Amino acid sequence: MAPFTSPPSAKKQRTISTPSTTIVTSPQGTTTFTSSAGGVTGTVSGQLQQTTPFVAFPPILSSSIYRLSPDGAPDELWSSRDDVVYSLGFASDGRVLAGTGNNGALLAIDGHGVFAQLAKAGSAQITGIARNAAGKVFLCTANPGKVFSVGPEYEPEGTFESRSFDAQLFSQWGRLDWWGPPPATGASAKSAAASGGGPRLEFFVRSGNTEDPGKEWSRWFGPYSKPGNAVEAPSARFLQWKAVMHDGRPGDGINWVSLAYLPRNVAPVVDAVVLEEPGVRAQGNTVISTGQAPSVVLKMPPTPNTPGVFVAQTIAPQKFEQPPQGFREKGYQSVLWSAHDDNDDDLHYSVYYRGENEHEWKLLKDKLDQKFYSWDTTALPDGAYYLKIVASDAPSNPPAVALKAERESERFEVDNTPPVIEKLSADAGNRCTGVCSDATVVLRFTARDASRSIDRAQYSVDGGDWILIAPANGISDAPEEHYQVSLTFPSTGPATSDREHTIAVRAYDRFENVGSAKTTIIVPGSKP
Protein backbone atom coordinates (compact mmCIF):
# COMPACT_ATOMS: atom_id res chain seq x y z
CA MET A 1 0.00 0.00 0.00
CA ALA A 2 1.23 3.27 -0.02
CA PRO A 3 2.11 6.44 -1.48
CA PHE A 4 0.56 9.64 -0.42
CA THR A 5 -0.44 12.18 -3.02
CA SER A 6 -1.91 15.63 -2.57
CA PRO A 7 -5.27 16.28 -4.24
CA PRO A 8 -5.68 19.75 -5.76
CA SER A 9 -8.41 20.76 -3.32
CA ALA A 10 -6.34 20.34 -0.15
CA LYS A 11 -2.60 20.28 -0.17
CA LYS A 12 -2.31 18.69 3.24
CA GLN A 13 -4.69 15.81 2.45
CA ARG A 14 -2.97 12.67 1.27
CA THR A 15 -4.05 9.29 -0.01
CA ILE A 16 -2.94 5.75 0.55
CA SER A 17 -3.22 4.34 -2.93
CA THR A 18 -1.89 1.75 -5.26
CA PRO A 19 0.03 1.77 -7.53
CA SER A 20 2.46 2.92 -4.85
CA THR A 21 5.95 4.28 -5.26
CA THR A 22 8.83 3.58 -2.91
CA ILE A 23 12.17 5.30 -3.48
CA VAL A 24 15.29 3.81 -1.91
CA THR A 25 18.47 5.88 -2.11
CA SER A 26 21.86 4.49 -1.12
CA PRO A 27 25.49 4.95 -2.15
CA GLN A 28 24.91 2.30 -4.85
CA GLY A 29 22.15 4.25 -6.56
CA THR A 30 18.42 4.98 -6.49
CA THR A 31 15.76 2.29 -6.76
CA THR A 32 12.09 3.07 -7.43
CA PHE A 33 9.33 0.50 -6.79
CA THR A 34 5.75 0.88 -7.96
CA SER A 35 3.33 -1.59 -6.40
CA SER A 36 -0.37 -2.39 -6.54
CA ALA A 37 -2.77 -4.84 -4.95
CA GLY A 38 -2.17 -7.14 -7.89
CA GLY A 39 1.43 -6.36 -8.68
CA VAL A 40 4.60 -4.29 -8.28
CA THR A 41 6.67 -2.72 -11.01
CA GLY A 42 10.20 -1.53 -10.44
CA THR A 43 12.99 0.37 -12.13
CA VAL A 44 16.54 0.97 -11.00
CA SER A 45 18.62 4.02 -11.85
CA GLY A 46 22.13 4.29 -10.50
CA GLN A 47 24.73 7.00 -10.38
CA LEU A 48 27.28 5.02 -12.41
CA GLN A 49 29.05 6.81 -15.24
CA GLN A 50 29.19 3.74 -17.46
CA THR A 51 26.76 0.95 -18.31
CA THR A 52 27.37 -2.30 -16.44
CA PRO A 53 25.62 -5.64 -17.07
CA PHE A 54 24.85 -6.10 -13.39
CA VAL A 55 24.26 -3.57 -10.62
CA ALA A 56 24.22 -4.91 -7.07
CA PHE A 57 21.03 -4.23 -5.15
CA PRO A 58 21.24 -1.78 -2.24
CA PRO A 59 22.06 -3.69 0.96
CA ILE A 60 18.80 -2.67 2.65
CA LEU A 61 16.86 -5.01 0.35
CA SER A 62 16.25 -8.48 1.76
CA SER A 63 15.61 -10.59 -1.36
CA SER A 64 15.79 -10.44 -5.14
CA ILE A 65 14.81 -12.87 -7.91
CA TYR A 66 16.77 -12.87 -11.17
CA ARG A 67 16.25 -14.67 -14.48
CA LEU A 68 19.41 -15.72 -16.31
CA SER A 69 19.42 -15.66 -20.11
CA PRO A 70 21.17 -18.43 -22.08
CA ASP A 71 24.28 -16.27 -22.34
CA GLY A 72 24.33 -15.74 -18.57
CA ALA A 73 23.07 -12.11 -18.42
CA PRO A 74 20.90 -11.47 -15.31
CA ASP A 75 17.44 -9.87 -15.51
CA GLU A 76 15.87 -8.75 -12.26
CA LEU A 77 12.24 -9.91 -11.93
CA TRP A 78 11.38 -8.96 -8.37
CA SER A 79 12.89 -7.56 -5.18
CA SER A 80 11.73 -6.66 -1.69
CA ARG A 81 13.13 -5.25 1.51
CA ASP A 82 10.36 -6.80 3.61
CA ASP A 83 9.99 -10.41 2.37
CA VAL A 84 12.64 -13.13 2.37
CA VAL A 85 12.34 -15.81 -0.33
CA TYR A 86 12.62 -19.38 1.04
CA SER A 87 11.44 -21.38 -1.99
CA LEU A 88 10.71 -21.13 -5.73
CA GLY A 89 8.43 -23.05 -8.10
CA PHE A 90 6.22 -22.70 -11.17
CA ALA A 91 2.46 -22.31 -11.50
CA SER A 92 0.39 -24.04 -14.19
CA ASP A 93 0.29 -20.80 -16.20
CA GLY A 94 4.10 -20.56 -16.25
CA ARG A 95 4.50 -17.81 -13.66
CA VAL A 96 7.25 -18.10 -11.07
CA LEU A 97 5.99 -18.85 -7.56
CA ALA A 98 7.93 -17.55 -4.57
CA GLY A 99 7.39 -18.80 -1.03
CA THR A 100 8.32 -16.07 1.43
CA GLY A 101 8.68 -15.36 5.13
CA ASN A 102 8.20 -14.27 7.69
CA ASN A 103 4.64 -13.50 6.66
CA GLY A 104 4.04 -16.84 4.93
CA ALA A 105 2.93 -15.27 1.62
CA LEU A 106 2.84 -17.09 -1.71
CA LEU A 107 3.69 -14.72 -4.55
CA ALA A 108 3.22 -15.14 -8.31
CA ILE A 109 5.96 -13.24 -10.18
CA ASP A 110 4.86 -11.95 -13.59
CA GLY A 111 8.24 -10.38 -14.36
CA HIS A 112 10.05 -7.04 -14.06
CA GLY A 113 8.84 -6.46 -10.53
CA VAL A 114 5.14 -7.19 -11.11
CA PHE A 115 3.73 -9.74 -8.71
CA ALA A 116 0.47 -10.88 -7.10
CA GLN A 117 -0.07 -12.38 -3.67
CA LEU A 118 -1.96 -15.62 -4.30
CA ALA A 119 -2.33 -16.90 -0.77
CA LYS A 120 -1.12 -16.50 2.78
CA ALA A 121 -0.30 -19.57 4.83
CA GLY A 122 -0.92 -19.80 8.53
CA SER A 123 2.78 -20.51 9.06
CA ALA A 124 5.65 -18.04 9.15
CA GLN A 125 7.70 -19.40 6.21
CA ILE A 126 6.92 -21.29 2.99
CA THR A 127 10.00 -23.48 2.64
CA GLY A 128 9.06 -25.73 -0.33
CA ILE A 129 6.90 -25.59 -3.50
CA ALA A 130 5.94 -28.56 -5.73
CA ARG A 131 3.38 -29.03 -8.55
CA ASN A 132 1.78 -32.20 -9.91
CA ALA A 133 0.67 -32.95 -13.46
CA ALA A 134 -2.87 -31.71 -12.78
CA GLY A 135 -1.56 -28.25 -11.93
CA LYS A 136 -2.15 -28.41 -8.19
CA VAL A 137 0.56 -26.72 -6.14
CA PHE A 138 1.71 -28.06 -2.78
CA LEU A 139 3.33 -25.84 -0.16
CA CYS A 140 5.57 -26.96 2.69
CA THR A 141 5.72 -24.51 5.60
CA ALA A 142 7.67 -24.00 8.80
CA ASN A 143 6.73 -22.49 12.16
CA PRO A 144 4.56 -24.50 12.34
CA GLY A 145 5.30 -27.25 9.84
CA LYS A 146 2.33 -27.96 7.55
CA VAL A 147 1.49 -28.98 3.96
CA PHE A 148 -1.07 -26.99 1.94
CA SER A 149 -2.54 -27.48 -1.53
CA VAL A 150 -3.30 -24.54 -3.83
CA GLY A 151 -5.46 -24.46 -7.00
CA PRO A 152 -5.45 -24.54 -9.90
CA GLU A 153 -9.16 -23.78 -9.44
CA TYR A 154 -10.26 -20.56 -7.75
CA GLU A 155 -12.29 -20.16 -4.58
CA PRO A 156 -15.45 -18.05 -4.94
CA GLU A 157 -14.89 -16.57 -1.48
CA GLY A 158 -11.68 -14.89 -0.35
CA THR A 159 -10.20 -12.36 2.08
CA PHE A 160 -7.17 -10.14 1.71
CA GLU A 161 -5.65 -8.13 4.59
CA SER A 162 -3.22 -5.36 3.79
CA ARG A 163 -0.14 -4.65 5.80
CA SER A 164 -0.48 -1.84 8.30
CA PHE A 165 0.16 1.54 6.71
CA ASP A 166 2.30 4.03 8.62
CA ALA A 167 1.16 7.61 8.06
CA GLN A 168 4.17 8.77 10.13
CA LEU A 169 1.92 11.15 12.08
CA PHE A 170 -1.39 11.00 13.91
CA SER A 171 -3.90 11.31 11.04
CA GLN A 172 -7.57 11.67 10.23
CA TRP A 173 -8.90 9.10 7.73
CA GLY A 174 -11.06 10.09 4.75
CA ARG A 175 -12.75 8.34 1.84
CA LEU A 176 -12.03 4.80 0.65
CA ASP A 177 -11.86 4.06 -3.05
CA TRP A 178 -10.83 1.06 -5.16
CA TRP A 179 -10.80 -0.25 -8.70
CA GLY A 180 -10.97 -3.76 -10.16
CA PRO A 181 -10.67 -5.32 -13.61
CA PRO A 182 -13.40 -4.63 -16.21
CA PRO A 183 -16.52 -6.82 -16.41
CA ALA A 184 -16.08 -10.34 -17.74
CA THR A 185 -16.80 -11.14 -21.41
CA GLY A 186 -17.82 -14.24 -23.33
CA ALA A 187 -18.49 -17.38 -21.36
CA SER A 188 -17.47 -15.65 -18.15
CA ALA A 189 -20.05 -12.94 -18.81
CA LYS A 190 -22.79 -15.55 -19.22
CA SER A 191 -21.66 -17.13 -15.97
CA ALA A 192 -21.73 -13.75 -14.27
CA ALA A 193 -25.23 -13.03 -15.58
CA ALA A 194 -26.42 -16.40 -14.32
CA SER A 195 -25.01 -15.67 -10.89
CA GLY A 196 -26.67 -12.27 -10.74
CA GLY A 197 -23.82 -9.94 -11.75
CA GLY A 198 -20.17 -9.45 -10.88
CA PRO A 199 -18.38 -10.30 -7.65
CA ARG A 200 -19.52 -8.66 -4.45
CA LEU A 201 -16.77 -6.76 -2.62
CA GLU A 202 -16.80 -5.62 0.99
CA PHE A 203 -14.09 -3.50 2.59
CA PHE A 204 -13.26 -3.07 6.27
CA VAL A 205 -10.74 -0.75 7.95
CA ARG A 206 -9.24 -0.44 11.40
CA SER A 207 -6.64 1.86 12.95
CA GLY A 208 -4.18 2.03 15.84
CA ASN A 209 -1.00 3.61 17.11
CA THR A 210 1.29 0.56 17.01
CA GLU A 211 2.84 -0.98 13.90
CA ASP A 212 1.45 -4.46 14.52
CA PRO A 213 -2.34 -4.70 14.95
CA GLY A 214 -3.25 -5.84 18.44
CA LYS A 215 -5.79 -5.48 21.18
CA GLU A 216 -5.07 -1.75 21.44
CA TRP A 217 -6.24 -1.22 17.84
CA SER A 218 -9.81 -0.27 16.99
CA ARG A 219 -12.36 -2.82 15.83
CA TRP A 220 -12.99 -3.42 12.12
CA PHE A 221 -15.29 -0.74 10.67
CA GLY A 222 -17.46 -1.56 7.63
CA PRO A 223 -18.51 -3.13 5.43
CA TYR A 224 -18.05 -0.55 2.69
CA SER A 225 -19.47 -1.89 -0.55
CA LYS A 226 -19.32 1.21 -2.77
CA PRO A 227 -16.20 3.24 -3.66
CA GLY A 228 -16.09 6.72 -2.19
CA ASN A 229 -17.42 5.91 1.28
CA ALA A 230 -15.99 7.91 4.19
CA VAL A 231 -14.50 5.44 6.68
CA GLU A 232 -15.26 5.56 10.37
CA ALA A 233 -11.92 4.43 11.74
CA PRO A 234 -10.72 6.73 14.55
CA SER A 235 -7.73 9.00 13.98
CA ALA A 236 -4.40 7.23 14.54
CA ARG A 237 -0.97 6.79 13.05
CA PHE A 238 -1.46 3.32 11.48
CA LEU A 239 -4.28 1.89 9.37
CA GLN A 240 -5.11 -1.50 7.84
CA TRP A 241 -7.77 -2.44 5.32
CA LYS A 242 -9.36 -5.78 4.54
CA ALA A 243 -11.19 -6.84 1.36
CA VAL A 244 -13.69 -9.70 1.30
CA MET A 245 -14.80 -11.05 -2.11
CA HIS A 246 -18.01 -13.05 -2.55
CA ASP A 247 -19.05 -14.97 -5.69
CA GLY A 248 -15.70 -14.45 -7.36
CA ARG A 249 -14.64 -15.98 -10.68
CA PRO A 250 -11.29 -16.44 -12.45
CA GLY A 251 -10.01 -13.00 -13.44
CA ASP A 252 -11.82 -11.10 -10.69
CA GLY A 253 -9.64 -9.05 -8.40
CA ILE A 254 -8.64 -5.63 -7.08
CA ASN A 255 -6.10 -3.52 -8.93
CA TRP A 256 -5.71 -0.65 -6.50
CA VAL A 257 -7.07 0.69 -3.24
CA SER A 258 -6.92 4.33 -2.15
CA LEU A 259 -7.70 5.93 1.20
CA ALA A 260 -7.41 9.67 1.77
CA TYR A 261 -5.98 10.87 5.06
CA LEU A 262 -4.99 14.14 6.67
CA PRO A 263 -1.93 14.11 8.96
CA ARG A 264 -2.20 16.23 12.07
CA ASN A 265 -0.18 19.38 11.66
CA VAL A 266 2.88 19.58 13.90
CA ALA A 267 5.09 22.58 14.47
CA PRO A 268 8.34 22.87 12.53
CA VAL A 269 11.66 22.56 14.35
CA VAL A 270 14.60 24.96 14.11
CA ASP A 271 17.47 22.56 14.74
CA ALA A 272 20.45 24.92 14.97
CA VAL A 273 21.51 28.55 14.43
CA VAL A 274 25.09 29.43 13.46
CA LEU A 275 26.58 32.93 13.31
CA GLU A 276 29.43 33.60 10.90
CA GLU A 277 32.49 35.66 11.70
CA PRO A 278 32.06 39.44 11.27
CA GLY A 279 32.66 40.69 7.76
CA VAL A 280 31.27 37.60 5.96
CA ARG A 281 28.36 37.86 3.52
CA ALA A 282 26.35 34.76 2.54
CA GLN A 283 24.74 34.63 -0.88
CA GLY A 284 22.80 32.04 -2.84
CA ASN A 285 24.46 30.16 -5.65
CA THR A 286 22.37 32.07 -8.18
CA VAL A 287 24.41 35.19 -7.37
CA ILE A 288 27.46 35.50 -9.61
CA SER A 289 30.48 36.91 -7.84
CA THR A 290 32.43 39.66 -9.58
CA GLY A 291 35.66 38.26 -8.19
CA GLN A 292 36.39 41.39 -6.17
CA ALA A 293 35.41 39.86 -2.81
CA PRO A 294 37.45 36.85 -1.69
CA SER A 295 35.36 33.77 -0.93
CA VAL A 296 35.34 32.12 2.49
CA VAL A 297 34.16 28.76 3.83
CA LEU A 298 30.92 29.18 5.78
CA LYS A 299 30.25 27.44 9.07
CA MET A 300 27.24 25.24 8.32
CA PRO A 301 24.66 24.39 10.99
CA PRO A 302 24.25 20.69 11.83
CA THR A 303 21.27 18.89 10.32
CA PRO A 304 19.06 16.30 12.06
CA ASN A 305 20.52 12.81 12.25
CA THR A 306 19.51 10.83 9.16
CA PRO A 307 20.38 7.23 8.27
CA GLY A 308 22.76 6.44 5.46
CA VAL A 309 19.90 5.02 3.39
CA PHE A 310 16.69 6.96 2.96
CA VAL A 311 13.37 5.32 2.16
CA ALA A 312 10.42 7.54 1.25
CA GLN A 313 6.86 6.41 0.57
CA THR A 314 5.99 9.36 -1.61
CA ILE A 315 5.76 10.25 -5.25
CA ALA A 316 6.64 13.91 -4.59
CA PRO A 317 10.17 14.96 -5.64
CA GLN A 318 12.64 15.31 -2.82
CA LYS A 319 13.66 18.82 -1.87
CA PHE A 320 17.29 19.75 -2.39
CA GLU A 321 18.72 23.02 -1.14
CA GLN A 322 22.11 24.17 -2.37
CA PRO A 323 24.25 25.68 0.39
CA PRO A 324 25.02 29.40 0.16
CA GLN A 325 28.39 30.84 -0.76
CA GLY A 326 30.41 33.09 1.54
CA PHE A 327 32.36 36.23 0.63
CA ARG A 328 34.40 38.75 2.57
CA GLU A 329 32.58 42.06 2.81
CA LYS A 330 33.28 44.49 5.61
CA GLY A 331 30.36 45.48 7.81
CA TYR A 332 28.23 42.42 7.01
CA GLN A 333 26.99 39.80 9.46
CA SER A 334 25.57 36.43 8.34
CA VAL A 335 23.48 33.81 10.09
CA LEU A 336 22.68 30.27 8.88
CA TRP A 337 20.22 27.81 10.38
CA SER A 338 18.80 24.33 9.83
CA ALA A 339 15.13 23.40 10.24
CA HIS A 340 12.72 20.61 9.35
CA ASP A 341 9.01 19.85 9.39
CA ASP A 342 7.62 16.36 9.97
CA ASN A 343 4.64 17.17 7.72
CA ASP A 344 7.07 18.06 4.93
CA ASP A 345 5.43 21.49 4.79
CA ASP A 346 6.94 24.46 3.01
CA LEU A 347 8.43 26.85 5.57
CA HIS A 348 8.93 30.60 5.74
CA TYR A 349 11.42 32.19 8.12
CA SER A 350 11.68 35.49 9.97
CA VAL A 351 14.78 36.96 11.63
CA TYR A 352 14.48 39.15 14.74
CA TYR A 353 17.14 40.94 16.80
CA ARG A 354 17.47 42.65 20.17
CA GLY A 355 20.25 44.39 22.05
CA GLU A 356 21.92 42.75 25.02
CA ASN A 357 20.07 44.90 27.56
CA GLU A 358 16.81 45.08 25.63
CA HIS A 359 13.68 42.97 26.08
CA GLU A 360 11.66 43.50 22.90
CA TRP A 361 12.52 41.70 19.66
CA LYS A 362 12.64 43.82 16.50
CA LEU A 363 11.95 42.38 13.04
CA LEU A 364 15.03 42.33 10.85
CA LYS A 365 13.67 40.35 7.87
CA ASP A 366 10.61 38.18 7.21
CA LYS A 367 9.18 35.91 4.48
CA LEU A 368 12.50 34.20 3.83
CA ASP A 369 12.43 30.83 2.11
CA GLN A 370 16.18 30.20 2.32
CA LYS A 371 17.94 29.17 5.52
CA PHE A 372 20.41 32.04 5.71
CA TYR A 373 20.44 35.81 5.90
CA SER A 374 23.09 38.54 5.65
CA TRP A 375 22.70 42.20 6.47
CA ASP A 376 24.76 45.39 6.67
CA THR A 377 25.42 46.09 10.35
CA THR A 378 26.44 49.71 9.80
CA ALA A 379 22.80 50.64 10.45
CA LEU A 380 23.10 49.30 14.02
CA PRO A 381 24.91 51.01 16.89
CA ASP A 382 27.99 49.25 18.22
CA GLY A 383 27.21 46.72 20.94
CA ALA A 384 26.17 43.14 21.71
CA TYR A 385 23.08 41.57 20.15
CA TYR A 386 21.05 38.35 19.88
CA LEU A 387 19.09 36.93 16.94
CA LYS A 388 15.90 34.86 16.91
CA ILE A 389 14.90 32.63 13.98
CA VAL A 390 11.15 31.93 13.65
CA ALA A 391 9.96 29.15 11.30
CA SER A 392 6.32 29.02 10.16
CA ASP A 393 4.46 26.39 8.13
CA ALA A 394 1.85 28.96 7.02
CA PRO A 395 2.57 28.44 3.28
CA SER A 396 1.14 24.90 3.53
CA ASN A 397 -1.65 25.37 6.06
CA PRO A 398 -4.74 27.51 6.63
CA PRO A 399 -4.09 30.38 9.08
CA ALA A 400 -6.15 28.71 11.82
CA VAL A 401 -3.90 25.63 11.99
CA ALA A 402 -0.51 27.08 10.97
CA LEU A 403 2.21 26.63 13.60
CA LYS A 404 5.51 28.32 14.42
CA ALA A 405 8.77 27.43 16.12
CA GLU A 406 11.70 29.62 17.15
CA ARG A 407 15.31 29.41 18.29
CA GLU A 408 17.69 32.07 19.59
CA SER A 409 21.29 32.53 18.57
CA GLU A 410 24.36 32.99 20.68
CA ARG A 411 25.55 36.47 21.63
CA PHE A 412 27.37 38.40 18.92
CA GLU A 413 28.87 41.87 18.66
CA VAL A 414 28.61 44.72 16.19
CA ASP A 415 31.57 47.11 15.93
CA ASN A 416 31.97 49.48 13.01
CA THR A 417 34.04 52.17 14.79
CA PRO A 418 37.76 52.12 13.88
CA PRO A 419 40.56 52.46 16.43
CA VAL A 420 42.19 55.86 16.97
CA ILE A 421 45.91 56.55 16.65
CA GLU A 422 47.18 58.89 19.39
CA LYS A 423 50.50 60.37 20.54
CA LEU A 424 52.25 59.61 17.26
CA SER A 425 55.89 60.81 17.31
CA ALA A 426 59.18 60.06 15.55
CA ASP A 427 62.40 61.37 17.10
CA ALA A 428 65.40 61.76 14.81
CA GLY A 429 69.03 62.22 15.88
CA ASN A 430 71.19 65.41 15.59
CA ARG A 431 73.28 66.49 12.60
CA CYS A 432 76.74 64.92 12.59
CA THR A 433 80.15 66.10 11.24
CA GLY A 434 82.21 64.18 8.66
CA VAL A 435 81.16 60.72 7.60
CA CYS A 436 78.02 59.78 9.55
CA SER A 437 76.80 56.36 10.52
CA ASP A 438 73.19 55.24 9.93
CA ALA A 439 70.56 57.50 11.48
CA THR A 440 68.12 56.02 14.04
CA VAL A 441 64.55 57.21 14.48
CA VAL A 442 62.38 56.09 17.42
CA LEU A 443 58.72 55.73 16.44
CA ARG A 444 56.10 55.85 19.22
CA PHE A 445 52.29 55.84 19.15
CA THR A 446 49.20 54.59 21.01
CA ALA A 447 46.26 52.72 19.43
CA ARG A 448 42.95 52.95 21.26
CA ASP A 449 39.53 51.40 20.51
CA ALA A 450 36.26 52.51 22.09
CA SER A 451 35.22 49.07 23.30
CA ARG A 452 37.13 46.19 21.66
CA SER A 453 40.69 44.91 21.81
CA ILE A 454 43.30 46.02 19.33
CA ASP A 455 44.10 43.13 17.01
CA ARG A 456 47.30 44.30 15.28
CA ALA A 457 49.29 47.38 14.22
CA GLN A 458 51.60 48.12 11.27
CA TYR A 459 53.86 50.86 9.97
CA SER A 460 55.10 51.89 6.52
CA VAL A 461 57.98 54.19 5.52
CA ASP A 462 57.70 56.36 2.42
CA GLY A 463 54.82 54.27 0.98
CA GLY A 464 56.68 51.00 1.32
CA ASP A 465 55.40 47.65 2.54
CA TRP A 466 53.39 47.48 5.73
CA ILE A 467 55.40 45.93 8.56
CA LEU A 468 53.82 44.33 11.62
CA ILE A 469 54.79 45.80 14.98
CA ALA A 470 54.28 44.20 18.40
CA PRO A 471 52.86 46.20 21.32
CA ALA A 472 55.05 47.15 24.25
CA ASN A 473 53.69 44.32 26.44
CA GLY A 474 54.09 41.74 23.66
CA ILE A 475 50.42 40.75 23.29
CA SER A 476 47.43 42.53 21.74
CA ASP A 477 44.64 41.96 24.24
CA ALA A 478 43.46 45.39 25.38
CA PRO A 479 41.45 48.31 23.95
CA GLU A 480 44.57 50.48 24.36
CA GLU A 481 48.03 49.36 23.24
CA HIS A 482 51.35 51.24 23.21
CA TYR A 483 53.94 50.79 20.49
CA GLN A 484 57.59 51.73 20.11
CA VAL A 485 60.05 50.74 17.40
CA SER A 486 63.48 51.97 16.28
CA LEU A 487 63.87 52.68 12.57
CA THR A 488 67.23 52.87 10.86
CA PHE A 489 67.93 55.17 7.89
CA PRO A 490 71.25 54.44 6.15
CA SER A 491 73.77 57.29 5.58
CA THR A 492 74.56 58.27 1.98
CA GLY A 493 78.06 59.56 2.62
CA PRO A 494 79.72 62.83 3.70
CA ALA A 495 78.23 66.26 3.17
CA THR A 496 74.65 65.05 2.72
CA SER A 497 71.64 67.28 3.06
CA ASP A 498 68.71 66.75 5.37
CA ARG A 499 66.27 64.07 4.21
CA GLU A 500 62.48 64.05 4.59
CA HIS A 501 60.61 60.81 5.29
CA THR A 502 56.91 60.00 5.78
CA ILE A 503 55.96 57.34 8.30
CA ALA A 504 52.39 55.96 8.31
CA VAL A 505 50.90 53.73 10.98
CA ARG A 506 47.59 51.87 11.21
CA ALA A 507 45.82 49.69 13.76
CA TYR A 508 43.04 47.09 13.37
CA ASP A 509 40.47 45.77 15.80
CA ARG A 510 39.17 42.21 15.52
CA PHE A 511 36.25 43.41 13.34
CA GLU A 512 38.77 44.62 10.72
CA ASN A 513 38.02 48.26 11.41
CA VAL A 514 41.19 50.22 10.75
CA GLY A 515 42.43 53.61 12.01
CA SER A 516 45.51 55.31 10.56
CA ALA A 517 47.76 58.34 10.93
CA LYS A 518 51.05 59.64 9.54
CA THR A 519 53.92 61.88 10.48
CA THR A 520 56.75 63.49 8.53
CA ILE A 521 60.29 63.63 9.88
CA ILE A 522 63.55 65.25 8.80
CA VAL A 523 66.60 63.05 9.15
CA PRO A 524 69.59 65.37 9.52
CA GLY A 525 72.36 65.08 6.96
CA SER A 526 76.14 65.41 7.64
CA LYS A 527 78.34 68.56 7.49
CA PRO A 528 81.63 68.54 5.54
Side-chain angles (χ1 to χ4, degrees), residues 172-440:
Q172 176 185 347
W173 311 108
R175 295 186 179 275
L176 179 69
D177 199 6
W178 65 87
W179 182 85
T185 59
S188 297
K190 295 179 180 179
S191 175
S195 61
R200 184 163 55 92
L201 280 174
E202 293 180 332
F203 277 82
F204 301 81
V205 296
R206 62 177 176 176
S207 59
N209 289 305
T210 59
E211 184 174 3
D212 297 323
K215 295 180 180 180
E216 65 278 3
W217 274 50
S218 72
R219 64 176 177 85
W220 286 105
F221 288 87
Y224 305 103
S225 56
K226 294 183 179 180
N229 288 116
V231 302
E232 304 164 279
S235 299
R237 172 173 170 173
F238 296 89
L239 180 126
Q240 184 184 32
W241 58 265
K242 176 175 66 174
V244 180
M245 179 179 289
H246 305 281
D247 303 324
R249 302 170 310 279
D252 291 336
I254 306 167
N255 285 58
W256 60 259
V257 175
S258 174
L259 178 64
Y261 69 100
L262 180 67
R264 179 184 180 185
N265 190 38
V266 295
V269 178
V270 181
D271 301 292
V273 178
V274 172
L275 289 163
E276 301 299 321
E277 294 295 326
V280 173
R281 183 175 185 177
Q283 295 177 305
N285 286 331
T286 56
V287 178
I288 301 176
S289 173
T290 60
Q292 297 178 352
S295 60
V296 296
V297 178
L298 296 174
K299 296 184 292 184
M300 302 301 295
T303 56
N305 293 329
T306 55
V309 177
F310 176 71
V311 179
Q313 287 184 306
T314 176
I315 60 176
Q318 298 300 308
K319 299 176 181 178
F320 176 74
E321 299 178 7
Q322 291 186 335
Q325 296 175 310
F327 301 93
R328 286 287 179 190
E329 190 161 349
K330 186 181 180 304
Y332 270 81
Q333 177 68 53
S334 298
V335 59
L336 282 72
W337 60 89
S338 59
H340 73 276
D341 187 275
D342 289 338
N343 297 107
D344 200 27
D345 289 336
D346 293 329
L347 301 179
H348 275 176
Y349 306 97
S350 300
V351 181
Y352 294 82
Y353 77 95
R354 67 172 176 85
E356 187 170 37
N357 297 318
E358 299 172 357
H359 302 286
E360 299 292 332
W361 291 97
K362 289 87 173 175
L363 179 63
L364 187 60
K365 184 68 176 179
D366 63 350
K367 297 181 180 179
L368 293 169
D369 55 8
Q370 76 270 11
K371 298 177 184 178
F372 66 91
Y373 183 65
S374 296
W375 75 100
D376 188 353
T377 62
T378 56
L380 296 176
D382 292 355
Y385 292 87
Y386 295 88
L387 292 179
K388 180 174 69 173
I389 308 299
V390 178
S392 170
D393 60 8
S396 298
N397 293 276
V401 297
L403 298 173
K404 295 181 179 181
E406 61 185 45
R407 193 182 186 100
E408 295 184 20
S409 73
E410 297 179 351
R411 179 181 182 271
F412 70 99
E413 296 177 346
V414 170
D415 183 0
N416 293 303
T417 304
V420 177
I421 304 298
E422 300 175 339
K423 302 177 182 178
L424 175 61
S425 65
D427 299 327
N430 296 323
R431 184 185 304 272
C432 64
T433 302
V435 179
C436 298
S437 61
D438 295 342
T440 300

Side-chain angles (χ1 to χ4, degrees), residues 161-183:
E161 288 188 11
S162 73
R163 294 179 179 176
S164 61
F165 171 75
D166 185 4
Q168 303 296 325
L169 295 169
F170 192 82
S171 301
Q172 176 185 347
W173 311 108
R175 295 186 179 275
L176 179 69
D177 199 6
W178 65 87
W179 182 85

Side-chain angles (χ1 to χ4, degrees), residues 53-70:
F54 177 79
V55 179
F57 230 69
I60 191 174
L61 302 174
S62 299
S63 291
S64 299
I65 297 177
Y66 294 89
R67 175 176 56 198
L68 298 180
S69 65

